[in-house]
Amino acid sequence: MSKVSGKEIAKYWSPTGIDGVECLYGNYYTFAFAPHFHTGFMVGVIERGANVFACRGKEQTASRGDVILLNPEEVHTGRARDEETGMAVRMLFINPEILNYVRHAVHGRSARAPAFAKTIAHDEAAASALVRLHRALESPESVLEQECLFLSVLAQLLMRHSDSSGSDQKTGNENAGIARVCDYIVEHASENVTLDDLAKVAYLSPFHLLRVFGKKTGLPPHAYQTQVRIHKAKRLLRHDSTIAQVALATGFFDQAHFSKQFKRYVGITPGQFLARL
């Protein structure tokens, strides 16, 4: 037997901003899941190593960067292929009603109930998006970011890997609604607004708003909100506010989060920005 080289860790939680979803982060070496199923969909990504699991009558292996897609009540197992390397997995367990909603938004009411055709998808873009989403769901920093990423990832997976059929929903001229949303984000920049809040302002469904907002502005709503907050933060820093005061006034979770986002968008830290004024 191979020598075990790491500590097994498992973390399970329900995101505060999204109902009907549960999350698992697992770092496993010798642990093996007994045959089991979930009442909802299971969507996951392998971050390290490989997961060997039995499902649909055969043993399968999902390696680093692969996406695992299981439908409700599909019995499966799971273990690391190599006990020394182990495996790190990020999983989402999703209420079927949520995927039904996204399926209707993407394909229209005529589409069949969603079901994933394959259990393993070799999809680098989806895997990367899933990791980003899963990490965002660990943090209380922005409900709007969680919701935007969540809907985008599910829509991407359904369009690429489900056997649902139907016509894609067309986007029209929603300029007035998008303009209202932009104004609303500016006026409520420091608040932890939700996608539902913005959808009501635009008189659109949350998913439709997410699609047309990106087409119109070039950014998803949460990134637009962050940009507005950064612009406000620069104005406050120029008027002698401290970094801690600015972080609080602009709606960031804490000073560390503010500093991280500021550097992402401005290219320097708030401290460096102050020093150059």
Side-chain angles (χ1 to χ4, degrees):
M1 180 179 293
S2 301
K3 180 181 177 181
V4 177
S5 59
K7 181 180 179 181
E8 295 198 325
I9 300 171
K11 180 182 177 183
Y12 200 98
W13 73 97
S14 298
T16 56
I18 302 178
D19 294 330
V21 178
E22 294 177 332
C23 304
L24 169 69
Y25 172 78
N27 189 40
Y28 301 117
Y29 291 89
T30 61
F31 177 77
F33 286 94
H36 66 288
F37 66 87
H38 307 282
T39 56
F41 290 89
M42 189 188 87
V43 174
V45 61
I46 308 300
E47 276 200 304
R48 190 194 72 253
N51 177 25
V52 177
F53 64 100
C55 186
R56 301 186 187 180
K58 62 181 180 179
E59 188 172 85
Q60 307 176 55
T61 301
S63 302
R64 181 179 179 274
D66 285 343
V67 176
I68 298 177
L69 302 166
L70 299 184
N71 299 313
E73 300 188 8
E74 288 196 311
V75 176
H76 59 285
T77 59
R79 61 176 174 82
R81 179 175 59 186
D82 178 74
E83 290 185 357
E84 184 174 1
T85 304
M87 66 176 181
V89 298
R90 290 183 178 272
M91 299 293 179
L92 297 176
F93 308 102
I94 306 169
N95 188 310
E97 292 181 4
I98 296 176
L99 255 71
N100 274 329
Y101 164 77
V102 179
R103 179 260 320 214
H104 288 152
V106 173
H107 294 302
R109 292 281 172 178
S110 62
R112 298 193 302 268
F116 292 115
K118 296 181 179 180
T119 58
I120 300 174
H122 308 292
D123 188 331
E124 291 183 10
S128 177
L130 267 170
V131 170
R132 184 183 174 196
L133 166 63
H134 204 273
R135 289 175 175 166
L137 294 176
E138 286 186 272
S139 168
E141 290 173 358
S142 171
V143 173
L144 182 59
E145 180 177 8
Q146 291 178 352
E147 292 175 328
C148 291
L149 292 175
F150 183 68
L151 280 182
S152 296
V153 168
L154 290 191
Q156 182 181 30
L157 290 173
L158 284 177
M159 286 188 287
R160 293 186 181 187
H161 304 294
S162 81
D163 57 6
S164 297
S165 62
S167 301
D168 288 348
Q169 298 298 288
K170 304 300 182 182
T171 58
N173 186 0
E174 296 88 358
N175 291 346
I178 299 305
R180 288 194 300 272
V181 169
C182 291
D183 290 342
Y184 185 89
I185 290 175
V186 172
E187 292 170 9
H188 301 267
S190 61
E191 299 176 20
N192 202 9
V193 300
T194 68
L195 197 58
D196 278 339
D197 294 333
L198 302 183
K200 290 174 183 176
V201 171
Y203 304 118
L204 299 170
S205 73
F207 180 78
H208 191 52
L209 168 64
L210 188 60
R211 289 188 69 190
V212 298
F213 192 93
K215 288 179 179 292
K216 179 65 178 176
T217 68
L219 293 171
H222 68 275
Y224 188 90
Q225 180 193 52
T226 301
Q227 192 83 97
V228 169
R229 288 175 170 179
I230 295 298
H231 290 320
K232 182 178 179 180
K234 290 168 72 175
R235 291 196 301 271
L236 292 174
L237 288 171
R238 289 191 183 101
H239 288 83
D240 299 326
S241 296
T242 67
I243 295 174
Q245 289 171 334
V246 172
L248 180 64
T250 50
F252 289 99
F253 180 66
D254 55 23
Q255 186 173 327
H257 181 224
F258 166 55
S259 296
K260 177 183 177 182
Q261 294 298 322
F262 191 94
K263 185 171 183 179
R264 281 187 66 204
Y265 286 89
V266 183
I268 57 176
T269 67
Q272 291 171 324
F273 183 83
L274 276 175
R276 298 180 185 195
L277 290 177

